[in-house]
Amino acid sequence: MSDRIEVLKTYKTYIGGKFPRSESARTYKVKDSKDNIIANACRCTRKDVRDSLTAARSAFPGWRNRSAYNRGQILYRTAEMLEGRKDQFVKELTNTGFNEKNAGRETETAIDRLIYYAGWTDKYQQVFGTVNPVASAHFNFSNPEPTGIVGIVAPESSPLAGLVSMIAPVIAGGNSCVVLASQANPLPAISFGEVLHASDVPGGVVNILSGYSDEMLPHLSSHMDLNAIWNTISNKKTRKQIDENGALNIKRVLHTVNHIWLDDENHNPYYILEFQEIKTTWHPVGN
Amino acid sequence: MQEQIKYDYLTNYPIDEVGVEERVARLNSRSIKKESKIQALKLALSMIDLTTLEGKDSPGKVIQLCRKALQPHSELPGLPSVAAVCVYPTMVPVAKKELEASDVKVASVSTAFPAGMVKLSAKLEDTRFAIEQGADEIDMVISRGEFLKGNYNFVFDEIAAVKDACGDVHLKVILETGELGTLENVRKASFLAIHAGADFIKTSTGKISPAATQPVTLVMLEAIRDHYLETGKMIGMKPAGGIRKAKQAIQYLVLVKETLGAAWLTPEWFRFGASSLTNDLLMQIVKQESGIYQCTDYFSND
Amino acid sequence: MMSDFSNTTQQNEDQVNGSEKPTSPNSGLRLDFSSFWEYSDAPESKDHVEIRDRYEHFIGGTFTEPVKGRYMKSYNPADEEVIAEFAEGTSGDVDSAVKAARKAFGKWSKIQPKERGKYIYRLARMIQERSREFAVIESIDGGKPIRESRDVDVPLAAAHFFYYAGWADKLEYAFPGRKAEPLGVCGQIIPWNFPLLMLAWKIAPALATGNTVVLKPAETTPLTALKFAELCRDAGLPDGVVNIVTGAGQTGSSIVSHPDIDKIAFTGSTAVGKIIQKLLAGTTKKYTLELGGKGPNIIFEDAPLDQAVEGVVNAIFFNQGHVCCAGSRLLVQESVADKFIQKLRDRMETLIVGDPLDKNTDIGAINSKEQYERILKYLEIGRQEGATIYQGNNSLPEKGYFCKPTIFTNVSQSNRIVKEEIFGPVLTIQTFRTPDEAIEKANNTPYGLAGGVWTDKGAKIFKTGAEVRTGVLWSNTYNKFDPASPFGGFKESGLGREGGLHGLYPYVNLKQT
């Protein structure tokens, strides 16, 4: 029995709730710390970026209109599923160079972040919404609404906890997103797609691409249907390019570089607020 | 045949009160100066239904009022007379005799003014009596209790019956808007009165507070406008009660001018139900012409 | 009457699905608003107003001559006469202003917040005290009717300072779990449509949070900002806390590019906003952008129609239509469209176009020759696109830049006049049949600043309001502003909010407590 051949996993992408291969059918090698090939990951291109945006846009209205309670339940479900597959993720992380302890922390942090933001889905509106005492005879209130589609450039160094710390506040707030996974270590991200898929997160709310960021990022950051972009790449040239592409359609651009993603500093509701639009409504008050 | 009615006056016509108040405030920001002010003051004077409606009214008081109506201010002989004198039915003959040789009309309240809490036959009797006594115009009240109950047909039929009793005599229908509660009710009552035969619609008896207000008047003017655009038929408007100052009167005229236009800026289509307004208009006219601020001692208090 | 009636019946019988609605037999009736009782002139007095012939920059608490010695002219758009000269700022001037602001920042950010608040309260009060003077200058310099500068711009500007003054010593309650720290020196660039009010929107929250500012007013309307500089001096505000540098686009560009500025706040067109965002690429400067719009104003058949007419007038003819959040696209439900448009046309007849200083003027002068020509160009484009133009019979003064209130019907989403921001008293009118169609049309634009919804039905307000993607939603009203009320856009209409608690965010760094 010990001669059994292990079934290897094919890592694909996660777009629109499905797991297609890259449109280009190209792959690149993901290696472990000893330079052994552990998987072929999809080397996504601009067409995959395009398809992800389409999927994200069509998923947005439905996700935005889910009740806050329901979004919270789904995020909680995601945490449950991740907890159940903890060993798998620890293994994927140790395969790529994390030691056992750090792989465990990375995974547990990811789970806890999901729980944390699951609890925020029906509270941030109360923290960040206001009733405004205007001087005229009107009732006036402001409430946060999701900005739309957020591009997420996930951190290289923290392929699961960092990734989840970014996805969770974005979708907790009702946005949909297109995620560029860690280039060197995309496997946990793709596996996380499976967790999302199994957790009732509607298809298209989160789309995860692997590949070379310099091939995908220009097409993502310049996309006219992208409303915001959250970047973790610290390279100045890349940042500037993201900013410049942001100016094409006034994207909300957030750079969080050199973060220690496991720190508690990185879970707070202000990350939800970064991708919310404050909408203010007026109505007369009279007979 | 019956005029063609393309909408049902009973359907709700949404009105936003804050919006109406904002519109009134904006109209009130019109600054009426110089010639246009003098013109407005004289126009307002000519539109007054000089009114006395008190239990203690006497022939002497009515005669005095009629003289004021004919010659508002002897020091300024060129002034217009007021539009009408408005009195209780029993005082109509007194007024009629005083005003015989003039264009000043005699208006009489009727239908058990101000509450109208009698049966229809008594209201009709009241109306016929006033007309027999010589009234040129009848100011009736609607049954507000029935209206608020939703008994619109009752109110309609009453108005129609009174109009029938009036014949050619002009009928002004008092909605008593201070008791109707909402502007939507004002709009509904306006249409109801217009369709039942009113020649004029009038805000108030003057016995209930609030009496005429500008938001209420604006809503009634808009009802008149919409009816005109739908049917081509003009209806008159009379705010009554609470209009004491020249400045207020001018604000009302601005409401008329910018809602209905020039055609309504005549005593034929617009009246003020008022008494003390007269002297304030006169003081302002004298001030405009002399440049000197005036004192009430110099204006007859009738 | 009888024959009319039978005709109508005949029409009804002959009707097929999709044919035109029968018009009222009295559709020829018109109201006459002009033939009797014209309002006499009612000019606001301007003899109490002091305007110097020439203004310098206000840097470090003193009026300072421009380094290059160049001056520009500000014109009165109502008579095309020069009102005053003002300094043309170059990079040297901007640099001195930034240095002064940087120097002042150290002290200003550290004085007791309650004392900082008191300075801002002083500014609020002094604007109130000199409100009429500010209003008159605003109308002379920018062309807006005195009724608006007197009743809207200036009181709101004062209210804005009053509102944010109170925040100065209460910031620890604004951001749960976070400590707010000022950013440093803020570069602020404001437009010509609400010169003093936009100044207030920019300066009040910046000062309240402990920042210092370098502000550039627009080149066609610099005067109230310079009067405000005098007021800062009179209020004893520490030197360098507020610096005003005048000039045109080049001056603004110097501010955006200055390396020692921590934050840029810009209000203006989306085109310029994109340029600024691009200029800021690769820097760590924070920025907020308040940009253009093409606001949808949706009238449902169950709306309070007469108030909605007034709302449309406020939405598009307020401030000559020079309003980024103007309701420039009217979407009216087909069943009430004819009636509504008739009411709107009648209302347009009573709008008085003319001398901005006349108290009865509803629509003043177009702000500048350039803008005037731009509007005329769009009127021509509308005609060429086959739209039906309607203008009131309003009389216009002989001199100055004036435009009649204008509506275009027979337009579609693909027309330029429907897609592009005209920034003038020009409304396009489209009809719709179902709520979904209205929402679809409302959102079919890259803009998302503001919109209106008119219906008497509460449920429909909330549903439509949630679906229309704009930062401000006026339901059963339009173009209302208040310092406590956040303002700002979705999508290409900008980023960040001004006003209210949310208006504090763009001026602070939030640190963990």
Side-chain angles (χ1 to χ4, degrees), chain B:
Chain B
M1 67 163 271
Q2 278 280 308
E3 70 194 34
Q4 194 183 342
I5 297 165
K6 295 183 68 87
Y7 41 67
D8 181 354
Y9 56 83
L10 295 179
T11 53
N12 205 38
Y13 186 82
I15 293 177
D16 182 73
E17 189 183 85
V18 174
V20 172
E21 281 164 6
E22 284 174 357
R23 176 69 182 125
V24 166
R26 178 159 181 177
L27 287 163
N28 287 173
S29 76
R30 290 291 190 217
S31 177
I32 308 303
K33 302 285 182 205
K34 303 173 207 164
E35 299 79 25
S36 62
K37 184 168 185 183
I38 295 181
Q39 198 182 357
L41 293 167
K42 290 182 178 170
L43 181 62
L45 185 64
S46 76
M47 290 169 158
I48 289 179
D49 279 6
L50 203 55
T51 302
T52 181
L53 293 169
E54 289 177 12
K56 64 179 173 10
D57 282 351
S58 64
K61 165 103 193 262
V62 172
I63 289 166
Q64 209 179 319
L65 201 68
C66 291
R67 295 205 174 137
K68 181 81 173 178
L70 290 168
Q71 191 186 44
H73 194 55
S74 55
E75 287 81 350
L76 279 177
L79 288 179
S81 54
V82 303
V85 165
C86 182
V87 294
Y88 273 117
T90 48
M91 291 295 155
V92 169
V94 181
K96 193 70 191 168
K97 184 158 173 277
E98 277 310 302
L99 300 171
E100 223 164 19
S102 76
D103 293 335
V104 180
K105 301 273 193 276
V106 177
S108 172
V109 294
S110 83
T111 67
F113 179 95
M117 299 292 270
V118 299
K119 59 184 182 175
L120 179 59
S121 58
K123 291 182 182 181
L124 295 176
E125 180 55 33
D126 195 13
T127 306
R128 287 190 199 105
F129 172 72
I131 293 167
E132 280 162 22
Q133 296 297 304
D136 304 303
E137 301 172 352
I138 293 293
D139 290 21
M140 73 169 286
V141 293
I142 67 165
S143 296
R144 285 87 76 187
E146 297 300 322
F147 180 89
L148 291 171
K149 226 187 270 176
N151 210 349
Y152 304 123
N153 288 343
F154 181 94
V155 180
F156 185 102
D157 291 346
E158 265 195 348
I159 298 169
V162 174
K163 175 63 189 171
D164 202 40
C166 283
D168 290 339
V169 172
H170 255 229
L171 176 64
K172 304 190 197 106
V173 177
I174 303 171
L175 309 180
E176 195 63 305
T177 54
E179 291 187 340
L180 296 184
T182 67
L183 293 176
E184 284 172 354
N185 272 347
V186 170
R187 168 88 183 196
K188 193 181 281 182
S190 299
F191 264 25
L192 192 151
I194 289 169
H195 287 296
D199 298 301
F200 259 70
I201 49 177
K202 175 176 168 184
T203 58
S204 322
T205 59
K207 305 292 181 193
I208 293 284
S209 184
T213 66
Q214 292 191 49
V216 157
T217 302
L218 179 62
V219 167
M220 292 170 74
L221 292 171
E222 286 171 347
I224 290 170
R225 178 199 60 196
D226 292 349
H227 182 72
Y228 171 73
L229 291 175
E230 204 64 46
T231 66
K233 191 177 171 217
M234 288 173 77
I235 302 293
M237 172 70 200
K238 178 178 172 184
I243 307 165
R244 296 185 185 87
K245 296 290 173 193
K247 186 176 176 184
Q248 285 173 287
I250 293 174
Q251 289 173 335
Y252 276 91
L253 292 180
V254 170
L255 255 61
V256 177
K257 175 177 164 65
E258 302 206 16
T259 309
L260 291 169
W264 270 263
L265 287 173
T266 115
E268 196 188 346
W269 298 110
F270 191 80
R271 299 280 180 84
F272 289 107
S275 45
S276 62
L277 172 65
T278 316
N279 271 355
D280 200 57
L281 287 170
L282 293 170
M283 282 169 63
Q284 296 304 319
I285 291 170
V286 175
K287 192 263 153 184
Q288 284 297 308
E289 303 206 330
S290 66
I292 297 165
Y293 290 105
Q294 297 298 302
C295 163
T296 50
D297 291 353
Y298 299 87
F299 294 83
S300 62
N301 226 339
D302 301 285

Side-chain angles (χ1 to χ4, degrees), chain C residues 130-350:
Chain C
R130 290 170 63 179
S131 61
R132 193 56 56 90
E133 186 184 357
F134 272 107
V136 170
I137 296 174
E138 203 74 308
S139 286
I140 293 173
D141 203 19
K144 66 172 62 203
I146 187 75
R147 184 180 64 81
E148 291 177 7
S149 51
R150 180 195 66 202
D151 298 347
V152 182
D153 292 64
V154 177
L156 271 181
H160 227 82
F161 278 102
F162 208 83
Y163 175 83
Y164 279 107
W167 268 123
D169 59 355
K170 300 167 190 71
L171 295 173
E172 65 261 42
Y173 301 98
F175 311 102
R178 287 289 182 276
K179 183 179 187 314
E181 290 178 356
L183 302 173
V185 176
C186 303
Q188 306 180 315
I189 300 166
I190 58 171
W192 44 260
N193 56 345
F194 295 94
L196 184 71
L197 184 58
M198 289 302 105
L199 173 147
W201 281 29
K202 295 282 179 285
I203 292 182
L207 297 195
T209 44
N211 300 280
T212 57
V213 305
V214 174
L215 177 131
K216 187 192 87 67
E219 69 271 26
T220 62
T221 55
L223 296 185
T224 43
L226 293 161
K227 293 302 277 190
F228 177 79
E230 293 178 1
L231 196 144
C232 290
R233 203 184 48 191
D234 298 347
L237 193 70
D239 294 348
V241 170
V242 170
N243 303 278
I244 311 279
V245 177
T246 50
Q250 203 56 46
T251 316
S253 174
S254 298
I255 292 175
V256 173
S257 309
H258 196 286
D260 199 33
I261 280 182
D262 300 288
K263 187 233 155 70
I264 294 293
F266 170 75
T267 297
S269 70
T270 292
V272 175
K274 288 179 177 179
I275 293 169
I276 289 175
Q277 194 179 6
K278 197 170 174 194
L279 273 174
L280 292 171
T283 72
T284 54
K285 282 177 200 164
K286 282 197 156 200
Y287 52 92
T288 40
L289 304 170
E290 209 68 83
L291 308 176
K294 194 71 184 177
N297 200 4
I298 304 172
I299 316 277
F300 286 108
E301 61 188 357
D302 53 5
L305 289 185
D306 289 310
Q307 289 75 58
V309 168
E310 206 52 29
V312 170
V313 167
N314 283 330
I316 189 62
F317 302 133
F318 174 57
N319 199 31
Q320 297 73 248
H322 303 328
V323 186
C324 47
C325 52
S328 48
R329 288 187 294 144
L330 181 64
L331 301 169
V332 57
Q333 198 155 13
E334 199 174 283
S335 50
V336 293
D338 291 348
K339 193 201 271 187
F340 190 84
I341 292 167
Q342 182 56 51
K343 281 173 184 276
L344 179 60
R345 285 178 169 205
D346 280 340
R347 179 66 179 91
M348 285 163 67
E349 293 300 315
T350 62

